[in-house]
Amino acid sequence: MSAQISFLDGTYTLIHIPLDLYTTFLQPILRVLIPQTARLHLGADFTPHIDELDGLSDKNQHVFLNISVTPLEASIVCHTSWAKHVFEPIINTLPAQQARTVSVFADSYMVLSVIGAGLDAATRVLELSSPLALAGIPIFFITTYYSDFIMAPTRERENVIAALCEKGFEMSENQSSSVTTPTYSRKNSESYHTSSPPGTPPPSTDDELQLRTFDLLHKRDISPYVDDGLELVQCSGREISQLADAYGHRSSISRHVVTDNRHSWIENVDTKLYASLISVLVSQPRFISITLAHEDPPSLLIDKKLLGLFSDSLVGDMDNILIPIFLDLLNLPSEVTGIICGVSGRLVDDMKMTATSELSYLSTARAGVVILPEEQSTRALSILKPPLQMKE
């Protein structure tokens, strides 16, 4: 079975919030996390078609949303209308010096959802990012419990489709929404040619891309590091259909309400999970990444120390400890391409990863996070650091 790549509805905005302003933005973060609160803001004349509620499904759930709090920053990916109506008003109240430290990316982004049944865990980041990097298309990448998500500038839509097709991907019947991937090897992916964007032509092979990536990181003095003692767990909230079995309090009456009151957000989510999420966000956690996509249950990548706050509202392998390796990209422009592919390619090559190996990636607004099992992280760090510590 091949991987399925679908374009999600809407355009999205990426926001960088420095940690010293986190508490200032906590209220808008919670407002976006809980879109039901928009009813209060809009008043009695609520209608799901009002511009402020763009980006929601017919159950008032986000088509896509990512909230990440890391040791480097808070990073938000939300529908552009929510960035405009919820975050920008707060930015406009800040003193000019503080406002300049918050970044609302000028580009609007499209989000591609990848169900990677045809890609093994070790190489899926590389196989998905390589065609776009070789075409000179800047992307952000988010691995979740169920799916992978790729963000690319909306203006690059046709180039994204062309790059995927040119690298051996095939369009499905619905050309406007999805593409499918056949099985192909990394070697013959290099035999396809891509057109060069204005400026410096993109690299023609993954090896060249790796060299350019590490040369850039070295010149900008960007070295990967781990945050001592930080251990992560990838997990998920429960499917709504599982809640009655898990908690035993969803009666036939409440299920009837779900059917008949489609626009009631609170009837379509696990309120126990959201209470825990609010508690965690209020505490300004060391690390949490929340991804909401309307076709998946909520996905979380969290500091292991936070698990106790969620009781039994999470599912997943809580014993599979993951270590994040951070790349602070604050001083690189968002248009830079190839970081994800270059870094993942170096690890896949040098660690000789097999189909049973794990490699995940989280792009935040101003950082990249390589995520590996605990036993592989030390080796990965030793591979990534030497190319960045060469003498001038």
Side-chain angles (χ1 to χ4, degrees):
M1 182 177 179
S2 60
Q4 180 74 29
I5 305 178
S6 302
F7 289 89
L8 301 186
D9 291 338
T11 60
Y12 295 83
T13 296
L14 190 54
I15 304 170
H16 159 79
I17 300 168
L19 292 178
D20 61 351
L21 291 179
Y22 177 81
T23 55
T24 302
F25 284 88
L26 180 59
Q27 191 268 354
I29 288 172
L30 295 179
R31 262 191 71 193
V32 173
L33 176 68
I34 309 175
Q36 183 81 349
T37 57
R39 291 174 179 262
L40 304 177
H41 178 67
L42 295 172
D45 295 330
F46 165 78
T47 167
H49 302 297
I50 291 179
D51 181 52
E52 287 196 59
L53 298 185
D54 284 351
L56 299 183
S57 69
D58 58 4
K59 295 179 181 178
N60 273 338
Q61 294 174 296
H62 288 282
V63 174
F64 184 81
L65 174 71
N66 177 266
I67 299 170
S68 295
V69 184
T70 76
L72 291 170
E73 64 176 333
S75 172
I76 313 294
V77 180
C78 62
H79 192 280
T80 298
S81 62
W82 289 83
K84 175 182 177 183
H85 293 291
V86 177
F87 287 98
E88 289 190 9
I90 303 300
I91 297 171
N92 292 337
T93 66
L94 295 174
Q97 186 173 357
Q98 286 188 329
R100 284 193 291 270
T101 67
V102 180
S103 300
V104 178
F105 285 37
D107 277 329
S108 68
Y109 290 87
M110 57 188 177
V111 176
L112 291 77
S113 171
V114 183
I115 301 175
L119 301 173
D120 65 71
T123 61
R124 70 178 185 274
V125 177
L126 175 61
E127 298 290 358
L128 290 167
S129 62
S130 175
L132 302 175
L134 294 176
I137 300 170
I139 66 167
F140 293 83
F141 197 100
I142 299 174
T143 302
T144 73
Y145 189 82
Y146 294 98
S147 310
D148 294 303
F149 295 92
I150 298 171
M151 293 175 56
T154 305
R155 66 175 185 275
E156 298 279 8
R157 183 183 179 94
E158 296 305 318
N159 292 332
V160 167
I161 294 173
L164 293 174
C165 289
E166 197 168 2
K167 290 299 177 181
F169 290 71
E170 295 178 352
M171 299 295 297
S172 70
E173 291 184 5
N174 183 359
Q175 295 188 7
S176 65
S177 63
S178 63
V179 295
T180 58
T181 69
T183 302
Y184 70 98
S185 69
R186 186 177 169 201
K187 286 186 178 179
N188 60 33
S189 76
E190 294 177 354
S191 65
Y192 293 87
H193 300 283
T194 58
S195 58
S196 299
T200 304
S204 58
T205 68
D206 288 328
D207 290 338
E208 183 184 352
L209 189 146
Q210 282 186 35
L211 291 174
R212 288 197 193 184
T213 295
F214 283 91
D215 182 58
L216 174 64
L217 296 177
H218 176 58
K219 288 179 178 177
R220 295 300 182 96
D221 197 26
I222 298 171
S223 182
Y225 70 94
V226 296
D227 204 317
D228 290 342
L230 181 57
E231 299 178 335
L232 306 183
V233 173
Q234 184 98 58
C235 49
S236 168
R238 298 178 187 273
E239 295 269 7
I240 292 299
S241 60
Q242 297 174 327
L243 296 182
D245 293 335
Y247 305 144
H249 64 258
R250 293 242 171 182
S251 67
S252 59
I253 295 176
S254 67
R255 287 196 296 272
H256 179 73
V257 173
V258 172
T259 301
D260 291 344
N261 191 3
R262 298 195 319 159
H263 296 306
S264 180
W265 169 85
I266 202 166
E267 292 292 346
N268 295 288
V269 299
D270 179 0
T271 52
K272 188 175 183 179
L273 171 64
Y274 275 79
S276 299
L277 289 175
I278 292 169
S279 299
V280 168
L281 289 171
V282 167
S283 73
Q284 188 169 343
R286 188 177 178 189
F287 192 108
I288 187 168
S289 181
I290 306 162
T291 302
L292 305 180
H294 73 290
E295 294 184 351
D296 293 341
S299 178
L300 281 72
L301 180 66
I302 61 173
D303 184 344
K304 183 184 177 182
K305 294 178 181 178
L306 299 174
L307 287 176
L309 297 177
F310 288 87
S311 182
D312 59 351
S313 59
L314 298 177
V315 296
D317 184 357
M318 309 304 174
D319 295 322
N320 184 24
I321 302 303
L322 303 172
I323 303 299
I325 300 175
F326 294 95
L327 291 165
D328 186 346
L329 307 178
L330 180 63
N331 295 320
L332 289 183
S334 60
E335 296 81 10
V336 167
T337 63
I339 302 293
I340 299 167
C341 181
V343 170
S344 61
R346 178 63 58 87
L347 292 177
V348 168
D349 287 347
D350 288 12
M351 295 180 70
K352 297 179 172 54
M353 288 187 169
T354 66
T356 59
S357 302
E358 295 181 49
L359 171 64
S360 301
Y361 197 93
L362 171 67
S363 294
T364 58
R366 296 298 189 190
V369 189
V370 181
I371 303 151
L372 291 161
E374 189 173 20
E375 62 273 12
Q376 295 179 347
S377 61
T378 301
R379 170 66 176 149
L381 196 61
S382 69
I383 289 170
L384 295 177
K385 273 195 169 184
L388 303 176
Q389 294 177 338
M390 297 179 298
K391 295 181 179 181
E392 296 289 350

